[in-house]
Amino acid sequence: MTLRAALRDQARNNDALGSPFTARVLRLLAERMQPGTALTDRMFTWPGDIGPFGDSVPLRLLGGGCMP
C-alpha cells in the first residue's frame, strides 16, 4: 500500500467512525504531501507495512508523530 492510499483509507475509516476533522486532515495530506522534509521523507520511505493492518503510519502522524 502506498502512503497516499493509506492516508485515504484511514480517512474513510475516520469518517465512518464519526471523526470528520481528522478524516479531512488525512485527505488533504494524501492530496498535498510531498517529499522534501525529514518527516515526509521518512513517511514516503517507510520500510514496513504502512497500512492499517501494519504500522498504521497515518494514525502515527495524527497522534503527534510517534515514529521510531
Side-chain angles (χ1 to χ4, degrees):
M1 175 176 278
T2 68
L3 175 59
R4 293 187 196 286
L7 291 164
R8 287 186 197 106
D9 185 58
Q10 188 61 55
R12 282 189 298 274
N13 292 338
N14 286 23
D15 267 334
L17 293 170
S19 299
F21 174 77
T22 56
R24 175 122 173 98
V25 168
L26 290 167
R27 273 196 225 60
L28 287 170
L29 289 169
E31 293 171 12
R32 299 178 184 182
M33 188 183 308
Q34 297 296 322
T37 69
L39 174 65
T40 59
D41 288 349
R42 177 82 168 118
M43 292 179 70
F44 276 102
T45 60
W46 192 261
D49 181 358
I50 203 164
F53 300 107
D55 296 330
S56 296
V57 172
L59 288 179
R60 288 173 184 255
L61 177 63
L62 287 176
C66 303
M67 296 188 178

